[in-house]
Amino acid sequence: MCDIMDPAPKVRLAYFHVCFAWFIVSTVQGQARINDARAIEEFLKNYHNQASKLYYNYKENSWNYQFDPTSQNKNLMDASKETWDKFLAEGTINASRYDTSVMSERDQRIFKLLLNIDFAAQKNKVKLNRIYELKEKMKSEFSKATTGDMKSSRAYLELLKVWKDYRDAIGNKLKALYPEFVELGNEAIRILGYDDMGAYML
């Protein structure tokens, strides 16, 4: 059973969405699933249209914050991430209502992705919280690193120097975080039946 009061405040809302999704999915198990081909295609079409817009909005806000870490940009990023997480949780709920046994191989692969819930498959709340914490720390290091402006030049050697300076500025800091993130991330992804995060992303 999920306890949404355990995780840290930054991940509590996302954790609630996941718990709620699992509750609904478990509730609809055993009920008649939708097996109409037209309904399946309509669901996928609507999901794709919404996902494209919401994901683009989240990534755009995330990019803006990484290169201009103001409080306003952070608020925009957090709000769009919350909307995206909620959409994914609701997508899991809705996808669970369809009968995958009558689908084409293509649609089965798509629904398999929709029903996968990424790191949230990890039921150990301490480990799940640590994954999110490491992820946010690494994002923060990326956004705080300051070097030259890559937008102001097209000269190869100048751009190469900027990139090396940027890499050197964050390399050692990420080196202390990334191995643990990979270890915990792989452990969570294996619960979904994948060998590691690399296999999950393919």
Side-chain angles (χ1 to χ4, degrees):
M1 181 177 179
C2 292
D3 181 354
I4 64 172
M5 299 308 294
D6 282 351
K10 286 186 177 180
V11 301
R12 188 173 297 156
L13 184 59
Y15 194 78
F16 170 78
H17 289 152
V18 171
C19 291
F20 183 67
W22 272 113
F23 170 75
I24 297 298
V25 170
S26 62
T27 300
V28 301
Q29 287 179 346
Q31 297 181 5
R33 304 293 179 88
I34 301 172
N35 57 16
D36 179 75
R38 183 175 298 179
I40 292 171
E41 288 302 318
E42 188 66 21
F43 168 77
L44 289 176
K45 178 181 177 181
N46 291 335
Y47 185 94
H48 174 74
N49 290 338
Q50 286 184 274
S52 298
K53 295 175 183 177
L54 293 176
Y55 186 71
Y56 178 86
N57 186 49
Y58 163 54
K59 283 301 180 182
E60 182 179 40
N61 288 328
S62 179
W63 178 270
N64 289 337
Y65 175 68
Q66 289 178 27
F67 285 90
D68 186 16
T70 64
S71 58
Q72 180 181 5
N73 283 342
K74 185 179 188 306
N75 290 336
L76 289 172
M77 180 187 69
D78 290 344
S80 58
K81 179 64 165 63
E82 178 182 331
T83 301
W84 175 243
D85 285 341
K86 183 179 179 181
F87 172 78
L88 291 179
E90 291 175 349
T92 300
I93 295 170
N94 293 328
S96 68
R97 297 191 174 107
Y98 291 83
D99 183 0
T100 58
S101 67
V102 301
M103 298 179 187
S104 65
E105 290 186 9
R106 166 188 168 273
D107 288 349
Q108 285 181 356
R109 288 195 297 269
I110 295 174
F111 269 79
K112 184 178 181 180
L113 292 174
L114 297 183
L115 292 170
N116 282 344
I117 55 175
D118 202 66
F119 298 131
Q122 176 59 265
K123 294 301 183 292
N124 184 311
K125 292 185 286 293
V126 174
K127 291 183 177 181
L128 178 62
N129 193 27
R130 181 59 176 166
I131 290 173
Y132 288 138
E133 181 184 359
L134 289 168
K135 191 174 181 180
E136 289 303 316
K137 282 184 177 180
M138 288 190 291
K139 283 184 178 180
S140 177
E141 293 299 339
F142 273 113
S143 64
K144 289 189 298 184
T146 56
T147 58
D149 187 358
M150 297 184 73
K151 294 186 293 184
S152 63
S153 174
R154 290 294 180 269
Y156 173 77
L157 291 179
E158 290 183 15
L159 292 174
L160 181 61
K161 182 180 185 305
V162 171
W163 168 245
K164 286 183 175 179
D165 289 345
Y166 181 77
R167 184 188 61 185
D168 292 342
I170 64 174
N172 289 332
K173 295 177 181 178
L174 293 183
K175 189 184 297 184
L177 303 172
Y178 194 68
E180 184 183 2
F181 173 75
V182 171
E183 180 181 356
L184 291 174
N186 284 340
E187 180 181 335
I189 292 303
R190 289 189 185 106
I191 297 173
L192 297 173
Y194 296 91
D195 291 336
D196 51 36
M197 289 189 288
Y200 175 74
M201 294 176 184
L202 291 178

